[in-house]
Structures are given as structure tokens and as C-alpha cells.
Amino acid sequence: GAVVSQHPSWVICKSGTSVKIECRSLDFQATTMFWYRQFPKQSLMLMATSNEGSKATYEQGVEKDKFLINHASLTLSTLTVTSAHPEDSSFYICSATPWSSYNEQFFGPGTRLTVL
Amino acid sequence: GENVEQHPSTLSVQEGDSAVIKCTYSDSASNYFPWYKQELGKGPQLIIDIRSNVGEKKDQRIAVTLNKTAKHFSLHITETQPEDSAVYFCAATPDRGSTLGRLYFGRGTQLTVWP
């Protein structure tokens, strides 16, 4: 149980294009989903927290117009990187907290984004 | 906000030996402490967690201890195997306020188990 999937697992795009990453909780409903960014050999950096049906809460320094988050259902959240640039290249990971859980987070496998 | 320190940053052990990773936290309101294992190119996997009403928890070769007074918690892996090699992250989360449910991570420990 508590499986989280991400799609795609990797993506290469040209500078200036937009990329959408999907995060799904496969066997549970998620009250909250989180989006992280991770640079090589570093810890996870929280970008935003999203609750189903409401606007995401972004961490300080994260541009909400650049990283659009939509949490349309209890099992799906999407992160869209708009007008991507090479500096947006990174490993993006989502996590989800089950409805039945207090604060456990289960992570997806991550999406490797490379912007040329 | 919460600040989690993790040591050591790298740890090398011989197969069969034990490995210990230590973390400290700053916010006394934190009450949930998970440990994650992350293999290269993959997302973090929850391996064990502990809540503040418990001092120790064990799951086969893995154990976690918590000292709330000193605000530190540790991961213990016994009889290490090469497949235990990965980056391990500790985390803490408070039980109140605007940061409810948010995980604060340590910087990670690269564990290498030599055969």
C-alpha cells in the first residue's frame, strides 16, 4: 500500500517550453501533496504544499507563476514548469499524505527534467 | 522554524558491521520522526518512523531511538549488507501551526557497505 507514481520519469525539453509532471497516489486518497526539488548530492527542498481543491502554498523564493501546481482530485496533483530554462533542470519529487494518516509522507519515484 | 542536523555526511562500513546515523532537531513541538532511504535516481523510501510517545522502535535489522529531552534521534542498522548502501535522510515534523505535516529534512548520509 501507499504507492505514489510520477509521470514522466524523465523528460528533455527545449528552453522556453513548458513541461507538466503528474503525481498520483495509486491506492489511497491524499489530503495533501508536496512537491520537492533535489539537486545532486543534496537534500530535498520543499517547493510547495497543495491540498485538494485549494491553491498551493509556495515556499519562500519559489516563483508560483513559474511552477504551477494543480491539485484537482484526492489522487492527482500536477506541477507545470512554465517557460523552462536550463537552470530549471533538476530532479523533481512529489509526496502524498494519506487521508487516514496524521503526517506520514510517501514519495514518488521522481522526475528528471533536463532543459536544453 | 525547525532545523534538523544530521551526522555523519558519509559513512563506510564493512558488510556485517553496524551503522549509526544521528540527527538533532530544534523545535520541541516536533513529534514525528521518519527515516528515508534514497537510492540513486529514485525517490525516498520510508524505512522506519517513530513518534514522540515512544523511545525506541525496531523492525528487523533497523531500529530508531528518540531522546525528546535532548532533541535527538538515531537510526541503527545491524548486520549491514551491500544493498543497504544508499543515502539516508532523517526528518522531523511539528504537530501544530502552519507547518503541520511539513517535513524538515537533514542533509543526508551516504552509507556505503563494503562486501
Side-chain angles (χ1 to χ4, degrees), chain A residues 34 36 38 41-44 46 49 59 91 93 97 101-110 112, chain B residues 31-32 36 38 41-44 46 49 51 89 93-96 100-103 105-108:
Chain A
F34 301 84
Y36 295 84
Q38 187 177 36
K41 297 188 184 298
Q42 292 192 22
S43 189
L44 289 82
L46 181 65
T49 302
E59 293 298 301
F91 193 50
I93 314 172
T97 296
S101 172
Y102 184 44
N103 45 16
E104 291 175 304
Q105 281 189 35
F106 296 94
F107 285 81
R112 172 74 58 193
Chain B
N31 71 341
Y32 175 64
Y36 291 90
Q38 186 178 28
K42 298 183 179 180
L46 179 67
D49 57 16
R51 298 187 185 274
F89 291 99
T93 186
D95 68 348
R96 63 168 182 250
L100 177 65
R102 175 190 169 161
L103 289 174
F105 284 92
R107 289 177 173 264

Side-chain angles (χ1 to χ4, degrees), chain B residues 4 7 9 11 22 24 42 44 48-49 51 53-54 56-57 59 66 73 75-76 82 94 102 104 111 113-115:
Chain B
V4 178
H7 298 282
S9 56
L11 179 59
K22 299 182 178 182
T24 61
K42 298 183 179 180
I48 196 168
D49 57 16
R51 298 187 185 274
N53 57 346
V54 176
E56 183 174 358
K57 184 177 178 181
D59 182 5
L66 171 65
F73 55 113
L75 177 71
H76 304 253
R102 175 190 169 161
Y104 291 84
L111 173 64
V113 181
W114 299 100

Side-chain angles (χ1 to χ4, degrees), chain B residues 39-76:
Chain B
E39 297 177 341
L40 191 63
K42 298 183 179 180
Q45 176 190 6
L46 179 67
I47 56 172
I48 196 168
D49 57 16
I50 192 168
R51 298 187 185 274
S52 60
N53 57 346
V54 176
E56 183 174 358
K57 184 177 178 181
K58 190 174 182 180
D59 182 5
Q60 298 183 340
R61 296 187 296 110
I62 296 173
V64 57
T65 58
L66 171 65
N67 183 327
K68 282 219 74 178
T69 303
K71 296 198 189 75
H72 67 71
F73 55 113
S74 301
L75 177 71
H76 304 253

Side-chain angles (χ1 to χ4, degrees), chain A:
Chain A
V3 179
V4 177
S5 71
Q6 274 184 249
H7 179 80
S9 55
W10 60 270
V11 56
I12 301 173
C13 69
K14 293 182 178 180
S15 187
T17 60
S18 294
V19 174
K20 179 184 285 188
I21 302 170
E22 290 188 351
C23 176
R24 294 181 184 272
S25 54
L26 298 184
D27 52 1
F28 65 96
Q29 292 186 325
T31 51
T32 307
M33 287 185 168
F34 301 84
W35 286 95
Y36 295 84
R37 184 173 180 177
Q38 187 177 36
F39 293 103
K41 297 188 184 298
Q42 292 192 22
S43 189
L44 289 82
M45 182 184 76
L46 181 65
M47 298 175 66
T49 302
S50 74
N51 292 292
E52 182 261 342
S54 59
K55 289 184 179 180
T57 301
Y58 290 81
E59 293 298 301
Q60 192 172 8
V62 178
E63 300 176 58
K64 61 181 180 181
D65 294 331
K66 178 152 189 73
F67 299 99
L68 300 179
I69 292 172
N70 183 277
H71 194 160
S73 75
L74 286 172
T75 60
L76 173 64
S77 176
T78 60
L79 168 68
T80 301
V81 183
T82 62
S83 186
H85 288 93
E87 58 265 30
D88 298 323
S89 298
S90 192
F91 193 50
Y92 292 88
I93 314 172
C94 72
S95 70
T97 296
W99 182 265
S100 59
S101 172
Y102 184 44
N103 45 16
E104 291 175 304
Q105 281 189 35
F106 296 94
F107 285 81
T111 297
R112 172 74 58 193
L113 170 63
T114 301
V115 185
L116 302 177

